Amino acid sequence: MAQKPSIPKGTRDFGPAEMARRNYIFDTIRSVYALYGFRQIETPAMENLSTLMGKYGEEGDKLLFKILNSGDFLRGIDPAELTGEGSPKLAAQLCEKGLRYDLTVPFARYVVQHREELTLPFRRFQIQPVWRADRPQKGRYREFYQCDADVVGSDSLLNEVELMQIVDEVFRRFGIRVCIKINNRKILTGIAEMIGQADKIVDITVAIDKLDKIGLENVNQELADDGIPAEAIQRLQPIIQLSGSNAEKIAIMREVLKDSEIGLKGIEEVEFVLNTLGSVVGGLSAKVELDLTLARGLNYYTGCIFEVKALDVEIGSITGGGRYDNLTGIFGMPGLSGVGISFGADRIYDVLNQLELYPQEITTATQLLFVNFGQAEAAYVLPALAAARRAGIRAEIYPDASKMKKQMQYANARQIPFVALAGESEMAAGTFTLKNMQTGEQTAVTTEQLIAAIND
Amino acid sequence: MAQKPSIPKGTRDFGPAEMARRNYIFDTIRSVYALYGFRQIETPAMENLSTLMGKYGEEGDKLLFKILNSGDFLRGIDPAELTGEGSPKLAAQLCEKGLRYDLTVPFARYVVQHREELTLPFRRFQIQPVWRADRPQKGRYREFYQCDADVVGSDSLLNEVELMQIVDEVFRRFGIRVCIKINNRKILTGIAEMIGQADKIVDITVAIDKLDKIGLENVNQELADDGIPAEAIQRLQPIIQLSGSNAEKIAIMREVLKDSEIGLKGIEEVEFVLNTLGSVVGGLSAKVELDLTLARGLNYYTGCIFEVKALDVEIGSITGGGRYDNLTGIFGMPGLSGVGISFGADRIYDVLNQLELYPQEITTATQLLFVNFGQAEAAYVLPALAAARRAGIRAEIYPDASKMKKQMQYANARQIPFVALAGESEMAAGTFTLKNMQTGEQTAVTTEQLIAAIND
């Protein structure tokens, strides 16, 4: 036998059991998005490389999967280019198209391309795979789904409120206990401004984040090692040791940042979101926590930043998002503010697996198998099979008149809960023997009784 | 403003309205497949090029989208290769991976790769996009969805019966009137055998297919022009002029092919399928017609062949399928027989559009918009908004306190059927003004009445 075929590294096949689980995840997210007035779009897997290049930094350009031009792909290429290493520049000549790397850039392209048809604010969601030529490793794939929702064309903080409600509702439906962490880019900018160290904001958040592990003295030492002057470290102390409720933290921060206009603006935004969620909407199932060390996406987020952690499983962030300005500026349409979230479907899948939180009823597997004893018996069975399906029962007949044992093995392997048999005596009586595969119980039933027994 | 961005030729964006329609198509097909015991799988967009090459003929190899290797893609390539035209051989060196061209080859690869986990017969369905570097033209895309179901590991004709029931049920649910055409490769082989012209079977079916248009004499002339001897044409006359009911056609064919073992076998198979559908299952909604000119997929179908035509729209085949032997032989696992169908989602989409057959309720668009008059009014509205969503109503609040006119324009553009307003007087009364956007009618309602009015 030839060598067993395989699939590219970092990609996956999904069998029936995995598909049922994945569909449950996507369907849940999809219906919550729709409940909040978000509308689904899909964009092509392939985008023009010019749409993708330069949007994800130099490293990102390298991680784009590029598609070789069809036909004579060497035409027009200077032979001098075709030496040495395959350069990114040469790749861009050989390839006009690439696979999408995320859903954000294609969405920005979509908004600009279709701007005449769109009504702003535009609330869209999109659930599609993306591809990255990352080194494959545990939990990191070269093909994976993103589940994004964004609102563009509105800078109202109600959008942030609603996105956090969506996050809360999705995880409530999944039964996953989470903590939603919130921060604001403007607060971080205010802190940097206050201590005159605008370029050190990442170092500062990284150091503060270690407080629990290494203690205050070591954090201060690390800040000093990062080149932050003693005086600035002194002024950072209330921020490093920030604790208490969100309201207490906000009160302290307001004092600390009293001279920073942008910092105060950030605090006001966070306060509005937290207050609206708490007192107006009536609170979330999830815990919401102001966390100044949350510093994701600093090169594009401009306002609120959020991130979701599962409480009962050790795993990274399972959802994240934030506000960005000027998403569509890269395509020549400036001034559109937006805010979005992205559910990490693969990590959510892992969490649901670990906590065994999948509901029983998500399967769409077969409920009833008719055993096949031969042509005459099959002909007797087929009208009952059709009736069962009309009643919405997922049912099949074993297609071949194989040995009984083989057919029962099939039912077991497929975990089919009911098996119906009809031999000579059942045919004479106009009945079926219905076997409950869990209890082993067998009963003689008519077609109607059979349907009722399964649909009860 | 920069040049408007665009997408690669032959690809499409799907906006919210199109997505609702496409989801309706996919969901319908998916639930019928599940009702018949088929189970969903998904395979990666990228396959190893070695999996794909040589499976679709020389022309197909050219139409594969190939993915440039990451990193130094020129490494190990003989510079002498890098001259002249970009050859297929060079492409295979520059690219290890390609995008899937159909769902059949990845399915065969899946079955062989996972054979230890699979229980045969394996009934799988798969709904995913495929990519072909075809010249784009009206109705032909470079990215399109296929919706396939196959049974492998069983040569029972009950599988053919069930697939035709599936086809019938899907189009019944869509409300599309169709004719299912059925033929059998063995009958065609029998005809060729009978007249000693095995290589002329396509010419013969093409010529016969023209009977209605050009008349018997011209068909016979065309057969003669194709190099078929007069004596053979003479023997073909009952086949060319075949008409009547399926039973009548079968009776004639049985006489004509009485000396061809394989031909008689094909007739027996067709007869079994038609009889089982008719007398045992009780018939289909669709017309089923034995059509000897149906000759699709002759290079891989080995038994029954079927094809579906819409009766009320001029369009090509909207679904097709057939039985093949040895699907997995190409990957070193011989002897597995299979039979499958593939729904043409894009053509079905066109047919449903032309006949305006989409049900009203397929939309998942917003049902209720709360107008935003400012921060205090928004705070008053948010609990009602949350209550509406808890009641399953897809609802939103306009995020910004824009002019009333702009908000109503938004509601109109989005075709939102209900708009709720709350200003000073409503807030004092604890009510909302609910406007029915179709009738213009306005009523004062409580939150409960508002929910009841929409959910009635």
Side-chain angles (χ1 to χ4, degrees):
Chain A
M1 183 146 158
Q3 207 196 331
K4 215 172 171 178
S6 63
I7 49 179
K9 264 186 220 144
T11 68
R12 292 165 289 174
D13 283 326
F14 297 109
E18 287 157 316
M19 280 307 298
R21 296 180 162 205
R22 292 175 65 83
N23 284 338
Y24 164 67
I25 294 172
F26 296 136
D27 289 346
T28 301
I29 295 172
R30 186 181 294 124
S31 37
V32 176
Y33 279 156
L35 200 57
Y36 279 75
F38 286 75
R39 302 153 81 206
Q40 190 171 14
I41 70 163
E42 282 189 4
T43 61
M46 301 187 286
E47 293 275 352
N48 291 323
L49 214 44
S50 58
T51 299
L52 303 175
M53 294 285 279
K55 308 306 188 298
Y56 309 103
E58 209 174 307
E59 199 48 37
D61 282 354
K62 284 188 200 153
L63 300 184
L64 293 171
F65 281 113
K66 301 170 187 78
I67 293 162
L68 190 68
N69 294 336
S70 302
D72 177 9
F73 50 85
L74 289 183
R75 185 171 37 206
I77 294 182
D78 179 355
E81 295 268 359
L82 294 167
T83 54
E85 292 185 9
S87 68
K89 193 186 151 205
L90 176 58
Q93 288 179 286
L94 292 168
C95 304
E96 276 176 10
K97 294 181 283 284
L99 294 181
R100 70 173 159 252
Y101 180 88
D102 70 2
L103 302 179
T104 306
V105 167
F107 173 53
R109 192 268 309 147
Y110 179 94
V111 169
V112 177
Q113 188 176 334
H114 299 275
R115 61 184 178 275
E116 276 101 15
E117 312 145 34
L118 294 182
T119 309
L120 296 181
F122 182 48
R123 301 153 85 85
R124 89 86 170 77
F125 77 90
Q126 189 168 356
I127 300 179
Q128 290 193 278
V130 302
W131 295 270
R132 295 182 185 180
D134 253 323
R135 192 180 302 273
Q137 49 180 268
K138 192 177 179 300
R140 188 193 287 171
Y141 305 102
R142 293 184 146 191
E143 173 180 67
F144 58 96
Y145 271 76
Q146 291 193 331
C147 310
D148 286 18
D150 291 81
V151 190
V152 290
S154 162
D155 51 17
S156 164
L157 290 166
L158 283 180
N159 298 304
E160 275 83 341
V161 169
E162 298 226 273
L163 289 173
M164 294 186 67
Q165 288 182 278
I166 287 175
V167 167
D168 187 58
E169 177 68 13
V170 164
F171 288 109
R172 197 187 62 71
R173 292 190 183 192
F174 285 142
I176 298 177
R177 297 195 318 128
V178 297
C179 172
I180 305 177
K181 301 196 166 198
I182 179 168
N183 195 7
N184 194 295
R185 167 61 188 267
K186 291 171 184 149
I187 296 178
L188 296 177
T189 305
I191 294 171
E193 217 177 73
M194 176 193 82
I195 60 167
Q197 303 282 330
D199 57 328
K200 289 289 194 312
I201 192 65
V202 172
D203 293 336
I204 294 172
T205 58
V206 166
I208 297 179
D209 198 27
K210 296 183 183 166
L211 183 67
D212 286 349
K213 270 194 207 142
I214 65 176
L216 181 60
E217 260 178 67
N218 289 316
V219 168
N220 286 335
Q221 187 57 50
E222 192 164 317
L223 290 169
D225 294 348
D226 288 335
I228 296 167
E231 191 262 348
I233 295 175
Q234 197 49 46
R235 299 180 65 185
L236 280 174
Q237 293 310 301
I239 292 170
I240 298 174
Q241 301 180 64
L242 195 68
S243 67
S245 69
N246 291 331
E248 286 162 347
K249 287 179 183 172
I250 285 173
I252 297 167
M253 290 304 299
R254 181 167 280 136
E255 178 56 28
V256 174
L257 291 177
K258 63 178 184 296
D259 297 327
S260 165
E261 193 184 336
I262 190 160
L264 290 175
K265 178 81 180 130
I267 290 170
E268 192 188 301
E269 290 184 6
V270 165
E271 196 175 24
F272 176 85
V273 171
L274 291 174
N275 282 350
T276 307
L277 285 173
S279 63
V280 179
V281 175
L284 301 180
S285 304
K287 193 180 154 206
V288 184
E289 185 186 318
L290 172 59
D291 180 352
L292 294 185
T293 68
L294 176 59
R296 58 183 288 144
L298 279 192
N299 52 341
Y300 48 96
Y301 288 140
T302 54
C304 283
I305 307 174
F306 20 81
E307 187 167 281
V308 180
K309 297 261 187 190
L311 294 181
D312 303 313
V313 172
E314 278 289 332
I315 200 166
S317 150
I318 54 178
T319 291
R323 175 167 296 273
Y324 41 82
D325 285 327
N326 209 9
L327 170 71
T328 52
I330 40 173
F331 297 115
M333 187 182 176
L336 265 195
S337 182
V339 56
I341 50 170
S342 185
F343 285 95
D346 286 297
R347 286 193 173 164
I348 292 171
Y349 179 82
D350 289 343
V351 172
L352 290 170
N353 275 339
Q354 280 192 51
L355 301 178
E356 293 181 16
L357 288 174
Y358 289 101
Q360 277 262 260
E361 65 275 12
I362 64 167
T363 174
T364 53
T366 297
Q367 300 162 277
L368 170 65
L369 174 75
F370 284 94
V371 170
N372 186 339
F373 287 123
Q375 199 167 324
E377 291 86 348
Y380 172 78
V381 149
L382 288 179
L385 174 58
R389 287 173 177 155
R390 273 196 301 274
I393 295 170
R394 295 182 300 276
E396 48 185 295
I397 178 172
Y398 196 89
D400 305 275
S402 305
K403 288 208 177 101
M404 177 75 174
K405 191 179 164 196
K406 190 173 175 193
Q407 299 191 43
M408 295 308 277
Q409 277 170 348
Y410 174 85
N412 277 322
R414 291 279 311 274
Q415 299 181 289
I416 298 174
F418 290 98
V419 170
L421 307 94
E424 242 176 69
S425 61
E426 285 90 350
M427 287 168 71
T431 60
F432 301 87
T433 296
L434 181 65
K435 180 169 180 179
N436 180 322
M437 295 293 280
Q438 271 192 317
T439 63
E441 190 193 358
Q442 302 204 14
T443 38
V445 290
T446 63
T447 302
E448 290 67 33
Q449 290 166 336
L450 183 154
I451 290 170
I454 296 173
N455 265 349
D456 72 352
Chain B
M1 179 146 160
Q3 208 196 332
K4 215 171 171 179
S6 63
I7 49 178
K9 264 186 220 142
T11 69
R12 291 164 291 172
D13 284 326
F14 298 109
E18 286 156 316
M19 280 306 298
R21 294 179 165 207
R22 291 175 66 83
N23 283 338
Y24 164 67
I25 293 172
F26 296 136
D27 290 346
T28 302
I29 294 172
R30 187 182 294 123
S31 40
V32 175
Y33 279 157
L35 199 58
Y36 279 75
F38 286 75
R39 303 153 80 206
Q40 190 171 13
I41 70 162
E42 284 188 5
T43 61
M46 301 186 287
E47 294 276 352
N48 291 322
L49 214 44
S50 59
T51 299
L52 303 176
M53 294 285 280
K55 309 303 188 299
Y56 308 103
E58 208 174 308
E59 198 48 37
D61 282 353
K62 285 190 199 152
L63 299 185
L64 292 172
F65 281 112
K66 301 170 188 79
I67 293 163
L68 191 68
N69 293 338
S70 303
D72 177 8
F73 51 84
L74 289 183
R75 184 170 39 207
I77 294 182
D78 179 355
E81 294 269 358
L82 294 166
T83 53
E85 292 185 8
S87 68
K89 192 185 151 207
L90 176 58
Q93 289 180 283
L94 293 168
C95 304
E96 275 176 10
K97 294 181 282 288
L99 294 180
R100 70 173 159 254
Y101 181 88
D102 70 2
L103 302 178
T104 307
V105 167
F107 173 54
R109 192 267 310 146
Y110 179 94
V111 169
V112 176
Q113 188 175 334
H114 300 276
R115 61 181 177 275
E116 275 102 15
E117 313 145 34
L118 294 183
T119 310
L120 296 181
F122 182 49
R123 301 153 84 85
R124 89 85 171 78
F125 77 90
Q126 189 169 356
I127 300 180
Q128 289 192 280
V130 302
W131 295 270
R132 296 183 184 180
D134 253 325
R135 190 180 301 274
Q137 49 180 267
K138 192 175 178 303
R140 188 192 287 172
Y141 304 103
R142 293 184 146 192
E143 172 180 68
F144 59 96
Y145 271 75
Q146 291 194 332
C147 310
D148 285 19
D150 291 81
V151 189
V152 291
S154 163
D155 52 16
S156 163
L157 290 167
L158 283 181
N159 297 304
E160 274 83 341
V161 169
E162 299 226 274
L163 289 173
M164 293 184 69
Q165 288 181 279
I166 286 176
V167 167
D168 188 57
E169 177 66 13
V170 165
F171 288 109
R172 198 188 61 71
R173 292 189 183 193
F174 285 142
I176 298 177
R177 297 197 314 131
V178 297
C179 173
I180 304 177
K181 300 195 168 197
I182 180 170
N183 195 8
N184 193 295
R185 167 61 188 267
K186 290 170 184 152
I187 296 178
L188 296 177
T189 305
I191 293 171
E193 219 178 71
M194 175 194 82
I195 60 168
Q197 302 281 330
D199 57 328
K200 288 292 195 313
I201 192 66
V202 171
D203 293 338
I204 294 171
T205 58
V206 167
I208 296 178
D209 197 27
K210 295 183 183 168
L211 182 67
D212 285 350
K213 271 195 205 139
I214 64 175
L216 182 60
E217 261 179 67
N218 289 317
V219 168
N220 286 336
Q221 186 57 51
E222 194 165 315
L223 290 169
D225 294 347
D226 287 335
I228 295 166
E231 191 263 348
I233 295 175
Q234 196 50 44
R235 298 180 66 185
L236 280 174
Q237 292 311 300
I239 292 169
I240 299 173
Q241 299 181 64
L242 195 68
S243 67
S245 70
N246 290 331
E248 286 163 347
K249 287 179 183 173
I250 285 173
I252 295 166
M253 290 304 299
R254 182 167 279 135
E255 177 57 28
V256 173
L257 291 177
K258 63 179 184 295
D259 298 325
S260 164
E261 192 183 336
I262 190 161
L264 289 175
K265 178 81 178 129
I267 291 170
E268 192 187 300
E269 290 183 7
V270 165
E271 194 173 25
F272 175 86
V273 171
L274 292 174
N275 282 351
T276 307
L277 285 173
S279 63
V280 180
V281 175
L284 301 181
S285 304
K287 194 180 154 203
V288 184
E289 186 186 316
L290 171 59
D291 179 353
L292 294 185
T293 69
L294 177 58
R296 57 183 289 143
L298 279 191
N299 50 341
Y300 48 96
Y301 288 139
T302 53
C304 283
I305 307 172
F306 21 79
E307 188 168 280
V308 180
K309 298 261 186 187
L311 293 180
D312 303 315
V313 171
E314 278 288 331
I315 201 166
S317 151
I318 54 178
T319 292
R323 176 167 293 273
Y324 42 82
D325 286 327
N326 209 10
L327 170 70
T328 53
I330 40 174
F331 297 115
M333 189 182 175
L336 266 195
S337 181
V339 56
I341 49 170
S342 184
F343 285 94
D346 286 298
R347 285 193 174 164
I348 292 171
Y349 179 82
D350 289 344
V351 172
L352 289 170
N353 275 339
Q354 279 192 52
L355 301 178
E356 293 181 16
L357 288 175
Y358 290 102
Q360 276 261 261
E361 65 276 12
I362 63 166
T363 174
T364 54
T366 297
Q367 300 162 279
L368 169 65
L369 175 75
F370 284 94
V371 171
N372 186 340
F373 286 124
Q375 200 167 322
E377 291 86 347
Y380 172 78
V381 149
L382 288 179
L385 174 57
R389 285 173 178 154
R390 274 196 301 276
I393 295 171
R394 296 183 300 276
E396 49 185 295
I397 178 171
Y398 195 87
D400 305 276
S402 305
K403 289 209 176 99
M404 177 75 175
K405 191 179 163 194
K406 191 174 174 191
Q407 299 191 43
M408 295 308 278
Q409 276 170 349
Y410 175 85
N412 277 322
R414 292 278 313 274
Q415 298 182 291
I416 298 174
F418 290 97
V419 171
L421 306 95
E424 246 176 68
S425 60
E426 285 90 351
M427 287 168 72
T431 58
F432 300 87
T433 296
L434 181 65
K435 180 170 181 179
N436 180 321
M437 296 293 280
Q438 270 194 318
T439 63
E441 193 192 356
Q442 302 203 15
T443 38
V445 291
T446 63
T447 301
E448 291 67 34
Q449 290 166 337
L450 184 153
I451 290 170
I454 297 173
N455 264 349
D456 72 351

